[in-house]
Amino acid sequence: MRVSKIAAACCVSLAVSPFSIAQDIQGIVTNSKGEAVVNAVVSVVNSSQKTVTDINGQYVLPGLTSGTFELHVKAKNYSHKNRQVSVEKIDVSGINFQLHPSVMEVIDVHATPLHTSNIESALAVNVIASDELRLKQASTLGETLKNEVGVHSTYFGPVASSPIIRGMDGPRVMITQNGLDGSDASRVGPDHVVSSETSTAQQIEVLRGPATLFYGSGAIGGVVNVVDNRVPTTLDENFNYMIKHNDVASENEASFALNSSAGQLAFHADGFWRDSDDYDIPGYAESENAHHDEEHDDHDEEHEEHDEHEEERGAKGTILNSASKSSGFTLGTSYVLDNGFIGFSFGRMTREYGIPGHSHGGHEDEHEEHDELFEDDHDEHEEHEENVYGDMEQDRIQFLSELTFDQGFINKVASKASYTDYQHKEIEDGAVGTIFNNEMIETRFDIFHQEYSGWKGAWTFHYKSNDFEAVGAEAFTPPSDTTAYAFAWLEEKHLADDLLFQVGARIERVEIEAGDSGMEFHDDHDEDEHDDDHEDHDDEHFFDKQSFTPVSLSAGLVWDYQHGYNIGLSLSYSQRAPSAAELFSNGPHIGTNSYEVGALYEIHQEDDEVHIELADKDVELETATNIDITWRKFEGNFGFVVGAFYNQIDDYLYQANTGLFAEDGHGQDEHDEHDEHDEHDEHDEHDEEGLPIYIYEQQDVKMYGIEAELIYQWDNGLKTTVFTDYIKAKIDGGDYLPRIPPMRLGGQLDYQGSNFATQLSVTHYFKQDDISEHETETDGYTMVDANVNYYIDGFGDDFVVFLKANNITNEEARVHTSFLKDVAPLPARGFELGVRGSF
């Protein structure tokens, strides 16, 4: 209903705001040698008007009324140019541009309301698109982005992997689809897949650092925006496809995207299909449950025989329960006008995937289990229903509109709305254990005004309603309704020709209401007393409504202090409201093998008994004060982006390992748990049984780091890239934060021939020994990858055969940021062969 109202409002606005024809602007676009730049795009900022240069580099922009406009020019392999132009009552000619070659690909960013590109932003930005995206595309969003500067992955096996930006993930990193929340459950836990699909995306944008000004408190760590053409914005017609296979998991994948038109109606359809088996890992010790070899010395002889057998088979293992299959499609249409478009889309996605670390085959003895673990043939587990796996479905309706007006104070209105129905089932022993349902409605209006005294800007009205529910024996968080209303104002002005100033503010109201938790609170009563008093405690199952008012302030500068150089400076004050899971969790989380306790609880231990009770305390807003500086050189054969950031975060919410253990939640109550612990203590004081208890705590934290990327283009088609990033995250006066990415250093060689391209990359991850209490160190490792693209003419506009080799040295690699680092290392050496093309 809300979406239809938005569409009606946009149509009314269109009807009363006709686009009038007036004067023309014309000129020529050349390069630094005076040669014509063909197919350069010349556009009017905050307008739908654009054109391309002809074979002589000439362009004409018709239909501009009197006023001052900002023209933007971009072309492949050149840096972008902007210029202010005043139009009176006659045509304007001689507006010429000279573009300079850039060793860095310059791409416009859609994630911010005001126009910018990856080298023109005060914020640190990564953008991958076109061939680079196709090259890096993996089955999950986290694995697709993990090699970007400042970005790592949670790596929950190859099946579920979310991006980490500067050490932050989950509820601090907003993952959006065309600027709207992806609306999945990935921020609840790393075992939940991100619903955004990379195989059909046009580009993926990463805003590193606080982006609460644009997206609200859930973006205090950054934003990942997946851009696709599900709602067409032009009448362009094309067809793109890709088919590939990799051998490390016997994974097959196919995808396509079709864009067509009829009159002023544009149509879009895309789809993907992916199917993989359990994936291979290098060596013997890496396999799931391999630590049992060290626990049974009385079977040394059998283990020696097993090791010899493994050596004969190339020392390659398999992670059980890591297979997956997924598919999805999107249909969209829009009505394209002279001054914009109005359109909508419907998409459906399904994913079924194993959750590594939970397979238990019911074998007669552990050595038979090991034989199963190291199956080279990737046979399915005989008792699939005894594994734990996830089954996700999502339906998504999205409405997008962008209309520009040449008269009046308002010159552009961008409207976005979405409705998402998401469900994730966790299935164990063949039965559904827990169901996560998430229903979200989101609307966003960006209203732009005409330039006034040199200021250009926009107001944003943002509404989001999220109905989350976890049902089942292992529902570790109660049902909750989260509603957010926000207003933001962003302005920018050129204080000088070479100095851009940006300032903005946002105020938000977040209300979180939780229902019946469905969980019993642990107290000192014995079992009979608990049964008798159960009715008296029912009221404790309900929580008071939690309300927060986060405020964000931001200021930025972009100084083009020298031709081909600039410095970006961003200062921000950002606040984040806690998520429902951070507040109300109290139960076993099967995916992460942990018992999670929310910030509204407290834990105390009496003798050998652990008690979890509601605490008499308030949870504070998380408040970050951040400074970010970026130095760029982007023209010529040598380019670089070097940045540093410092972030002081007060009342930072994080999961602290208490060192305590709880029963795993499979039907036992607290008293059984304590008996279990007592029994094990008698046998072996170090043999703890149950799930480790993690509780959300608030502490003041300092996070700081450096990021750098240097690129040199040699004259013979060879390009060299070197990058590094490093982050330190520590509690004030205390310990390090858990699961912080290690320092890394990487290099890349690219060669572009006439009909082929090759790439060799080497990345070293250093040992991570800056660890929190109860966390273990992670050894360093080096990954070596390579790929070859061969371009074949005569098959449409583009036809490429590609071959990729990953982990060429078959390195044992464990990801420090992963909950499964001791269970699921990175895949073994693997090869991927495929074709992609377009016409």
Side-chain angles (χ1 to χ4, degrees):
M1 179 62 71
R2 291 185 176 91
V3 175
S4 61
K5 289 181 179 178
I6 296 167
C10 292
C11 292
V12 171
S13 298
L14 174 65
V16 299
S17 302
F19 193 86
S20 58
I21 304 299
Q23 286 72 41
D24 298 344
I25 296 179
Q26 51 188 299
I28 300 175
V29 180
T30 60
N31 60 24
S32 55
K33 297 179 180 179
E35 301 167 338
V37 178
V38 182
N39 292 326
V41 178
V42 185
S43 60
V44 180
V45 176
N46 289 338
S47 169
S48 60
Q49 283 190 290
K50 64 181 179 180
T51 187
V52 296
T53 56
D54 60 19
I55 194 172
N56 299 312
Q58 297 179 338
Y59 73 91
V60 176
L61 271 172
L64 294 173
T65 57
S66 299
T68 301
F69 301 90
E70 182 178 0
L71 300 187
H72 178 74
V73 182
K74 63 180 181 180
K76 187 176 177 60
N77 300 322
Y78 290 94
S79 59
H80 294 190
K81 289 292 183 182
N82 285 54
R83 182 173 176 181
Q84 296 279 341
V85 178
S86 294
V87 177
E88 302 299 336
K89 295 183 179 180
I90 59 174
D91 293 346
V92 179
S93 60
I95 307 300
N96 302 328
F97 293 87
Q98 186 179 81
L99 303 184
H100 296 270
S102 176
V103 69
M104 309 176 71
E105 188 172 9
V106 184
I107 307 173
D108 287 334
V109 178
H110 298 262
T112 58
L114 299 182
H115 170 267
T116 189
S117 72
N118 56 323
I119 65 167
E120 300 170 300
S121 171
L123 284 172
V125 180
N126 310 74
V127 183
I128 57 174
S130 305
D131 288 344
E132 183 184 12
L133 176 56
R134 299 283 80 82
L135 175 65
K136 295 180 177 180
Q137 186 262 325
S139 59
T140 62
L141 182 62
E143 291 302 286
T144 299
L145 297 174
K146 69 177 183 179
N147 292 317
E148 296 300 297
V149 176
V151 184
H152 290 74
S153 163
T154 58
Y155 192 69
F156 208 84
V159 295
S161 178
S162 300
I164 299 173
I165 301 177
R166 293 178 172 176
M168 299 191 197
D169 65 324
R172 293 181 180 87
V173 172
M174 181 74 70
I175 298 174
T176 62
Q177 186 88 39
N178 296 316
L180 293 170
D181 196 321
S183 309
D184 53 44
S186 60
R187 69 196 66 175
V188 174
D191 57 313
H192 296 261
V193 297
V194 176
S195 60
S196 298
E197 176 57 33
T198 59
S199 65
T200 55
Q202 291 180 311
Q203 70 183 51
I204 302 176
E205 306 159 349
V206 182
L207 305 184
R208 307 198 307 272
T212 55
L213 188 66
F214 310 133
Y215 292 96
S217 64
I220 199 169
V223 169
V224 177
N225 185 38
V226 180
V227 181
D228 59 24
N229 201 40
R230 63 178 59 200
V231 177
T233 60
T234 68
L235 297 174
D236 295 342
E237 298 188 349
N238 52 63
F239 180 77
N240 299 280
Y241 60 92
M242 180 173 64
I243 302 172
K244 64 180 182 179
H245 169 82
N246 77 55
D247 67 340
V248 78
S250 281
E251 182 180 76
N252 297 300
E253 180 181 325
S255 63
F256 77 93
L258 170 67
N259 295 290
S260 185
S261 64
Q264 289 183 281
L265 285 175
F267 303 98
H268 173 85
D270 66 49
F272 75 96
W273 168 84
R274 184 182 298 114
D275 195 331
S276 70
D277 293 337
D278 295 340
Y279 77 96
D280 295 337
I281 58 173
Y284 171 81
E286 294 78 19
S287 189
E288 176 188 350
N289 296 327
H291 63 275
H292 288 302
D293 289 350
E294 300 176 0
E295 297 178 356
H296 300 277
D297 295 334
D298 55 330
H299 295 296
D300 286 344
E301 184 176 347
E302 292 183 56
H303 284 157
E304 289 176 7
E305 294 177 1
H306 184 79
D307 291 343
E308 291 175 2
H309 184 50
E310 283 304 311
E311 185 175 352
E312 292 175 0
R313 294 197 286 177
K316 179 177 285 190
T318 299
I319 292 294
L320 285 183
N321 206 36
S322 60
S324 68
K325 58 182 178 181
S326 57
S327 61
F329 70 89
T330 304
L331 301 174
T333 185
S334 60
Y335 190 69
V336 181
L337 306 141
D338 292 335
N339 66 325
F341 68 91
I342 301 172
F344 68 93
S345 68
F346 171 78
R348 180 171 176 79
M349 176 182 295
T350 62
R351 293 181 187 266
E352 184 176 321
Y353 58 97
I355 299 179
H358 293 277
S359 62
H360 43 91
H363 299 284
E364 293 182 2
D365 62 62
E366 297 192 55
H367 297 289
E368 292 180 9
E369 180 176 2
H370 281 300
D371 289 339
E372 179 68 24
L373 285 167
F374 292 110
E375 280 294 333
D376 286 344
D377 296 332
H378 311 293
D379 291 335
E380 288 193 17
H381 200 289
E382 292 179 4
E383 303 278 350
H384 175 70
E385 66 272 11
E386 295 186 2
N387 291 334
V388 178
Y389 64 98
D391 187 359
M392 185 272 282
E393 294 182 357
Q394 185 190 66
D395 292 329
R396 183 178 177 90
I397 299 173
Q398 194 168 73
F399 168 85
L400 299 177
S401 171
E402 189 172 293
L403 300 170
T404 59
F405 314 105
D406 65 337
Q407 297 176 353
F409 185 63
I410 303 301
N411 67 351
K412 179 179 175 181
V413 176
S415 307
K416 299 178 181 179
S418 67
Y419 168 78
T420 306
D421 187 7
Y422 169 95
Q423 183 179 86
H424 170 93
K425 299 176 183 177
E426 289 187 353
I427 301 172
E428 183 179 13
D429 296 335
V432 177
T434 309
I435 300 177
F436 297 87
N437 294 311
N438 192 43
E439 189 174 6
M440 179 177 287
I441 295 174
E442 182 178 13
T443 59
R444 178 190 179 106
F445 299 92
D446 295 321
I447 302 173
F448 299 77
H449 66 76
Q450 297 280 5
E451 183 175 317
Y452 180 77
S453 297
W455 289 96
K456 295 181 300 181
W459 300 281
T460 296
F461 299 90
H462 195 183
Y463 167 79
K464 187 187 296 186
S465 174
N466 189 33
D467 183 2
F468 180 82
E469 180 184 43
V471 180
E474 292 168 339
F476 60 93
T477 183
S480 62
D481 291 323
T482 303
T483 305
Y485 310 84
F487 170 75
W489 189 357
L490 179 64
E491 294 286 332
E492 68 176 20
K493 180 179 182 178
H494 281 277
L495 302 180
D497 289 342
D498 59 358
L499 184 62
L500 176 66
F501 175 65
Q502 296 177 330
V503 64
R506 179 185 178 104
I507 186 169
E508 188 173 6
R509 180 66 173 176
V510 179
E511 297 178 349
I512 307 174
E513 187 171 7
D516 187 345
S517 69
M519 308 167 192
E520 62 179 55
F521 295 110
H522 309 310
D523 53 31
D524 296 340
H525 298 300
D526 62 29
E527 190 168 351
D528 293 334
E529 288 178 314
H530 181 84
D531 290 338
D532 294 338
D533 295 344
H534 181 73
E535 289 186 12
D536 297 334
H537 290 288
D538 278 349
D539 291 341
E540 293 183 296
H541 291 194
F542 294 87
F543 301 91
D544 293 333
K545 179 187 291 186
Q546 303 289 312
S547 299
F548 304 90
T549 308
V551 173
S552 297
L553 304 171
S554 178
L557 288 172
V558 181
W559 179 29
D560 297 309
Y561 69 94
Q562 184 176 324
H563 190 71
Y565 293 79
N566 71 29
I567 292 177
L569 176 66
S570 176
L571 303 172
S572 65
Y573 172 89
S574 308
Q575 292 186 312
R576 181 180 78 90
S579 68
E582 291 172 314
L583 292 173
F584 308 122
S585 292
N586 182 13
H589 189 171
I590 186 174
T592 58
N593 271 329
S594 63
Y595 192 101
E596 298 189 6
V597 180
L600 290 176
Y601 296 94
E602 62 183 6
I603 300 176
H604 65 273
Q605 186 176 18
E606 298 178 4
D607 298 327
D608 292 330
E609 295 186 353
V610 176
H611 302 279
I612 302 172
E613 301 172 343
L614 274 176
D616 184 17
K617 64 179 179 179
D618 293 325
V619 178
E620 303 295 331
L621 284 169
E622 194 173 277
T623 302
T625 304
N626 184 80
I627 181 171
D628 202 313
I629 186 167
T630 306
W631 180 31
R632 306 180 182 98
K633 181 185 184 301
F634 47 87
E635 292 184 355
N637 290 333
F638 176 59
F640 59 77
V641 179
V642 179
F645 66 92
Y646 180 88
N647 201 354
Q648 169 68 49
I649 310 176
D650 296 334
D651 299 310
Y652 183 90
L653 262 171
Y654 71 102
Q655 281 187 304
N657 190 334
T658 63
L660 303 174
F661 289 82
E663 183 55 62
D664 63 7
H666 293 274
Q668 291 89 345
D669 61 25
E670 180 197 6
H671 304 283
D672 292 336
E673 170 197 336
H674 302 318
D675 294 340
E676 182 89 5
H677 278 299
D678 292 340
E679 181 180 343
H680 280 281
D681 288 341
E682 293 179 63
H683 293 296
D684 187 346
E685 61 182 359
H686 300 293
D687 187 16
E688 301 278 12
E689 292 292 335
L691 299 176
I693 299 176
Y694 289 81
I695 186 170
Y696 283 98
E697 294 183 351
Q698 286 194 295
Q699 299 281 352
D700 294 344
V701 168
K702 288 185 175 67
M703 305 181 78
Y704 53 91
I706 58 172
E707 300 159 344
E709 183 177 25
L710 296 84
I711 305 173
Y712 186 78
Q713 178 70 59
W714 304 83
D715 292 335
N716 57 2
L718 185 67
K719 184 167 71 174
T720 305
T721 303
V722 177
F723 78 93
T724 187
D725 51 31
Y726 170 75
I727 181 173
K728 181 83 75 173
K730 196 170 185 180
I731 298 170
D732 284 358
D735 212 347
Y736 291 100
L737 285 178
R739 292 180 300 280
I740 295 299
M743 178 179 176
R744 62 180 172 181
L745 175 66
Q748 184 174 296
L749 286 175
D750 293 86
Y751 180 77
Q752 181 66 58
S754 58
N755 60 352
F756 72 96
T758 63
Q759 182 184 95
L760 174 68
S761 64
V762 180
T763 305
H764 178 70
Y765 293 76
F766 289 82
K767 178 181 179 179
Q768 180 58 290
D769 52 12
D770 293 340
I771 57 176
S772 66
E773 188 179 7
H774 306 299
E775 190 179 20
T776 58
E777 297 180 355
T778 304
D779 292 336
Y781 56 91
T782 301
M783 302 300 289
V784 181
D785 305 316
N787 69 80
V788 178
N789 290 341
Y790 186 74
Y791 306 98
I792 300 176
D793 295 330
F795 293 89
D797 298 331
D798 179 39
F799 185 80
V800 183
V801 178
F802 59 89
L803 174 66
K804 295 170 63 176
N806 299 315
N807 193 8
I808 294 174
T809 60
N810 207 34
E811 178 90 341
E812 174 189 343
R814 298 183 182 275
V815 181
H816 182 75
T817 55
S818 173
F819 274 89
L820 299 182
K821 75 168 186 176
D822 296 324
V823 174
L826 291 176
R829 180 192 302 115
F831 297 92
E832 181 175 288
L833 178 65
V835 297
R836 67 174 185 267
S838 63
F839 54 84

